[in-house]
Amino acid sequence: MKIFKFGGASVQHAQGVKNVAQIIQSHSHDNLLVVISAMGKTTNALEQVIHHCFHNTGEAHSALKTVFEFHDGILKDLFGEDDLVGVSDIRNLYLELECFVDNPNLQEDYDFLYDQIIGYGELMATKIVSNYLLSQKINNQWVDARNFIQTDSRHRDARVQWTETEKIITNRLLPIAKKNLVITQGFIGRGFSGETTTLGREGSDYSAAIFGSIMGAESITIWKDVAGVMNADPKKFDHAVLISELTYNDAIELAYYGASVIHPKTIQPLQANGIPLYVRSFLNPEAPGTKVSADSSVISVPCKIHKSQQLLLEIRTRDFTFIAEDHLKQIFQSLSENKVRCNLMQNSAIYFRCVIDNKENRHQPLMNALEALGLDVTLRSDLELLSIYHPQGSFDKQTDVGNHNIVLQQNMGNSTHYLITA
Ligand code: ASP
Ligand code: MG
């Protein structure tokens, strides 16, 4: 049993879907489970729909139309005008979305609403790919991932309920997957009340790892639009090189600091079960890419990871007393409750600083919560985080940071982090 995961960029147009079909065809696929993300930028487009829906702007339906037209274009290119195989499946999904957007009673909680709508991107993508494969005589079984990935009800950042998930995958999905090609979604799961949940943006890699680790897969392959894991983003830095092998620990560190090729939660279940992970290019499917495994050698080149849109929060007590353990406990609790992750943190006697992503305005409720606890919070924006991971090598501050001003610097043994002005 093998697991393949294809991201949104691999299926952003009909040609991409055909390419995915070819890659699947060229592997033995009666023992393969394929996880597919939403097509192209559909998840972002659905975020617009959710925004309009939640704020009742009256524009939700026109935002939905954009999503439908995009998918209709791909359907037309794949199946032609008259031969619309499986189109009724997609139309049914459109209809569900429309009904959902019409129903005002379900729109009280933003994160809940988000999860009910956003996963349609993956549902539509997988229906289209599955039907295209059938039209090419590649038999496959489409399954709804929500029936298998059981989570808690922490919307937009749901946590997997491993015992239940393991039971249902082993009893219900494994027997199907042993005999058939299975097409399913990443990113989505089912919460305590049967509602849709999601595992966090870009969470489909993690879904692939969940399926793979429970099913005892022999390997997982993430097909990307890059050659594999590089030591820097080739779009941002010259001289980026491919890392052909990585240990699980190195992969975890790189993903944690923001190397966007692998979702941070992906590695742990694979490491626990000793399952190798391949990161390969769907544009060049013959190339070997990167292998992440227990017997890989440790990285020998320094890696440079760049994160834009960073915020620095500086938290102090109002009376300038020490930031003590009880404050830290409250701060971490607020971070967790507001689903905000610290990319970097630092504390002194009188302040606690943390660097977070400027994402979905999540800092605002966090700041309100901290202020309600009697803490003073100042915010600095327009920052970037540069992390240099150099497990063995040295680093050169001048070449790394260039002319940017350093706002905060942290050295952590095998990595150095600079918070710099944009
Ligand atoms: N479609 C979701 C997203 O773009 C999940 C994923 O692609 O992994 O965040
Ligand atoms: Mg996606």
Side-chain angles (χ1 to χ4, degrees):
M1 157 77 48
K2 286 187 183 168
I3 313 285
F4 282 0
K5 180 255 166 172
F6 290 96
S10 66
V11 286
Q12 61 184 318
H13 38 50
Q15 200 44 46
V17 175
K18 291 179 184 172
N19 182 49
V20 164
Q22 251 166 30
I23 294 176
I24 292 174
Q25 178 115 62
S26 66
H27 289 79
S28 84
H29 50 258
D30 44 2
N31 213 343
L32 179 68
L33 180 137
V34 179
V35 170
I36 302 171
S37 300
M39 295 176 140
K41 299 269 175 256
T42 300
T43 306
N44 294 355
L46 286 171
E47 284 186 342
Q48 288 304 311
V49 175
I50 295 158
H51 169 87
H52 291 301
C53 197
F54 189 72
H55 297 288
N56 235 323
T57 63
E59 284 175 41
H61 281 284
S62 84
L64 257 188
K65 200 165 155 239
T66 312
V67 174
F68 296 164
E69 281 171 1
F70 170 70
H71 288 84
D72 279 342
I74 295 179
L75 281 171
K76 197 172 134 234
D77 291 345
L78 285 174
F79 302 111
E81 292 282 4
D82 335 301
D83 184 18
L84 294 181
V85 186
V87 161
S88 79
D89 277 352
I90 315 290
R91 294 269 181 267
N92 190 44
L93 292 172
Y94 289 1
L95 195 62
E96 278 181 31
L97 263 175
E98 279 172 327
C99 293
F100 203 93
V101 168
D102 284 340
N103 189 341
N105 297 330
L106 296 165
Q107 298 170 13
E108 281 156 26
D109 177 67
Y110 187 84
D111 289 354
F112 173 84
L113 173 74
Y114 182 98
D115 278 357
Q116 306 323 298
I117 294 183
I118 203 82
Y120 276 88
E122 342 298 292
L123 293 168
M124 293 187 286
T126 48
K127 277 286 183 193
I128 293 176
V129 174
S130 165
N131 281 312
Y132 179 70
L133 292 170
L134 289 176
S135 77
Q136 300 303 299
K137 313 271 177 291
I138 305 174
N139 259 329
N140 67 90
Q141 173 73 50
W142 180 94
V143 303
D144 188 331
R146 292 172 295 186
N147 293 331
F148 304 103
I149 308 287
Q150 306 286 306
T151 71
D152 63 7
S153 288
R154 186 178 150 101
H155 286 286
R156 302 180 73 182
D157 190 24
R159 287 168 289 212
V160 175
Q161 305 296 293
W162 282 95
T163 314
E164 292 80 356
T165 303
E166 214 169 303
K167 201 162 128 198
I168 194 153
I169 288 183
T170 310
N171 292 342
R172 300 271 168 235
L173 186 58
L174 195 56
I176 301 174
K178 276 187 173 158
K179 291 197 220 109
N180 301 275
L181 165 63
V182 172
I183 305 292
T184 194
Q185 309 79 39
F187 185 45
I188 52 175
R190 178 106 53 217
F192 292 140
S193 318
E195 81 286 15
T196 306
T197 55
T198 59
L199 305 172
R201 282 296 312 256
E202 309 299 335
S204 298
D205 292 1
Y206 183 40
S207 303
I210 298 166
F211 284 118
S213 62
I214 294 175
M215 295 168 108
E218 100 191 46
S219 68
I220 300 214
T221 307
I222 299 181
W223 296 92
K224 309 256 333 171
D225 56 356
V226 290
V229 180
M230 316 277 286
N231 74 329
D233 181 347
K235 291 182 200 123
K236 291 182 184 152
F237 299 104
D238 299 335
H239 314 300
V241 293
L242 177 74
I243 303 169
S244 57
E245 46 180 80
L246 270 173
T247 62
Y248 292 118
N249 284 351
D250 283 342
I252 288 174
E253 298 252 14
L254 290 181
Y256 182 83
Y257 293 128
S260 56
V261 267
I262 309 172
H263 186 272
K265 287 184 187 162
T266 309
I267 308 294
Q268 194 278 328
L270 303 182
Q271 179 171 30
N273 293 282
I275 300 170
L277 168 72
Y278 296 89
V279 181
R280 296 173 64 180
S281 166
F282 60 77
L283 300 169
N284 186 9
E286 302 306 317
T290 300
K291 180 181 182 185
V292 182
S293 72
D295 38 60
S296 296
S297 43
V298 294
I299 314 184
S300 55
V301 285
C303 299
K304 207 168 182 172
I305 302 151
H306 183 258
K307 271 190 153 197
S308 53
Q309 304 257 10
Q310 299 295 293
L311 299 174
L312 175 66
L313 294 184
E314 188 165 294
I315 304 161
R316 293 169 186 263
T317 58
R318 276 196 192 129
D319 53 6
F320 294 98
T321 51
F322 290 154
I323 283 274
E325 287 71 12
D326 46 350
H327 298 119
L328 292 173
K329 184 173 151 200
Q330 291 175 323
I331 294 170
F332 284 116
Q333 180 143 11
S334 302
L335 284 163
S336 163
E337 282 168 5
N338 288 283
K339 302 171 193 163
V340 175
R341 202 191 93 176
C342 260
N343 295 329
L344 202 67
M345 57 189 113
Q346 208 173 57
N347 73 306
S348 78
I350 53 162
Y351 64 73
F352 175 83
R353 286 164 154 182
C354 66
V355 179
I356 61 173
D357 292 337
N358 188 359
K359 186 164 86 175
E360 299 143 6
N361 218 22
R362 285 201 185 178
H363 61 279
Q364 209 48 64
L366 169 68
M367 287 175 69
N368 296 343
L370 292 168
E371 273 157 10
L373 291 168
L375 296 161
D376 247 358
V377 190
T378 52
L379 174 74
R380 185 160 172 188
S381 54
D382 287 327
L383 298 168
E384 297 180 353
L385 187 61
L386 185 67
S387 298
I388 316 289
Y389 185 59
H390 48 91
Q392 317 184 319
S394 59
F395 63 98
D396 170 3
K397 188 162 156 185
Q398 198 48 49
T399 36
D400 290 341
V401 181
N403 294 328
H404 295 274
N405 288 327
I406 300 176
V407 176
L408 187 154
Q409 177 177 343
Q410 200 169 77
N411 208 324
M412 309 219 293
N414 57 5
S415 56
T416 307
H417 308 267
Y418 304 100
L419 185 69
I420 55 179
T421 50

